[in-house]
Amino acid sequence: MAASQARNAGLPIINFLRLKGVSILQQLHLEERLLRTSSENWCIIKDGTTRPTIVMGVSGKPKELLETDAVLRDEIPVIRRFTGGGTVIVDQGTIFVSFICNKDAIPGLQSYPRPIMSWSSLIYKNMFQGIGEFGLRENDYVLGNRKFGGNAQSITKNRNHVEFICRLKEFMSRSDFINGTTDAVAAYFALRSPDADDIQNHSSQFEPSSKLLTRQELGDEASIDLVGTVSQAL
């Protein structure tokens, strides 16, 4: 304990939360509540989501970004999240890592996408040492020449998907990635395990804006909601 306290001395405190068996909509609601109502730092790691779901940025337009006929036919949930960025498909194989931090938690860090991505790449750089050639290219995390995470980018047409995307399981197990990320975060923050009250205190103070889109919002003439919901009580 003494060695741990000495190692963490002077580091900003972060609430470290690991989730499993939680839908992406629940996660987004929690993150937005913490962002708007908590003055503390948070790191959330979630292993998978409860069902395949399409997640769009706050300004995303379904007709421009989705094959809406196929989405409606297959009854795939579509969520518009409260943050910007591209459109992604998430499922049980996705690992989510989210940081909610005060501006002064990382001294000198500018509140713009590129500096934030550059800082977050430091979290993973040491973790991938000896495993793959990790780097930050534009706003993407890459191993060698292939992307495994980051912001969505425009890709030149006629390029084979496997030529620019790689799967993390080619390099490490899920548990190794999650544990490695935990250790990497501990190099920058003193980790604190929040209890249920810490989270519950923020659960009813703010109405989140991330939402499941209806059939009408997806461009269908019918005004019925998508069959099934991805929302459950935390």
Side-chain angles (χ1 to χ4, degrees):
M1 178 66 71
S4 174
Q5 290 176 338
R7 184 174 65 250
N8 291 335
L11 293 179
I13 296 172
I14 195 165
N15 292 295
F16 191 81
L17 183 62
R18 288 179 61 162
L19 301 175
K20 191 175 178 67
V22 174
S23 75
I24 181 59
L25 187 58
Q26 287 176 278
Q27 177 188 349
L28 289 167
H29 284 177
L30 173 61
E31 290 176 356
E32 188 174 5
R33 284 186 177 115
L34 292 175
L35 175 67
R36 307 301 184 195
T37 68
S38 175
S39 60
E40 299 178 326
N41 302 313
W42 294 81
C43 176
I44 301 171
I45 296 182
K46 185 162 77 71
D47 187 359
T49 189
T50 51
R51 64 178 293 188
T53 304
I54 296 172
V55 183
M56 304 174 59
V58 64
S59 59
K61 298 179 179 178
K63 286 187 177 181
E64 296 178 3
L65 299 170
L66 307 178
E67 295 183 12
T68 53
D69 289 343
V71 168
L72 290 164
R73 181 193 65 226
D74 297 335
E75 298 178 348
I76 301 173
V78 179
I79 291 171
R80 179 177 282 122
R81 64 179 180 265
F82 70 97
T83 61
T87 301
V88 294
I89 299 175
V90 298
D91 58 18
Q92 292 86 348
T94 307
I95 299 175
F96 305 84
V97 181
S98 302
F99 289 94
I100 302 169
C101 295
N102 290 305
K103 186 176 181 180
D104 57 0
I106 302 116
L109 181 65
Q110 295 181 308
S111 301
Y112 297 100
R114 180 63 184 183
I116 291 173
M117 285 294 291
S118 295
W119 172 80
S120 64
S121 71
L122 300 177
I123 296 287
Y124 300 106
K125 186 174 182 179
N126 290 336
M127 187 179 73
F128 282 105
Q129 192 168 7
I131 297 175
E133 188 182 344
F134 172 82
L136 177 65
R137 184 171 300 171
E138 298 298 330
N139 289 316
D140 294 328
Y141 301 127
V142 298
L143 286 168
N145 292 318
R146 294 192 293 166
K147 167 184 173 177
F148 71 87
N151 291 340
Q153 298 291 323
S154 174
I155 305 297
T156 304
K157 66 177 182 178
N158 299 327
R159 187 177 179 189
N160 190 294
H161 195 65
V162 296
E163 291 180 3
F164 65 90
I165 295 289
C166 67
R167 296 181 176 184
L168 281 178
K169 68 179 183 181
E170 299 172 14
F171 298 89
M172 61 173 60
S173 68
R174 298 176 70 84
S175 59
D176 285 344
F177 177 84
I178 292 172
N179 292 333
T181 300
T182 302
D183 292 340
V185 173
Y188 292 86
F189 296 92
L191 305 189
R192 173 183 179 271
S193 297
D195 56 32
D197 289 339
D198 293 324
I199 300 168
Q200 189 64 32
N201 287 340
H202 300 283
S203 64
S204 59
Q205 298 178 18
F206 181 82
E207 187 62 33
S209 59
S210 296
K211 69 171 189 172
L212 186 70
L213 298 186
T214 65
R215 296 184 73 97
Q216 189 174 35
E217 290 170 315
L218 289 171
D220 193 29
E221 293 300 323
S223 58
I224 349 176
D225 287 346
L226 280 169
V227 176
T229 177
V230 295
S231 177
Q232 298 175 354
L234 274 172

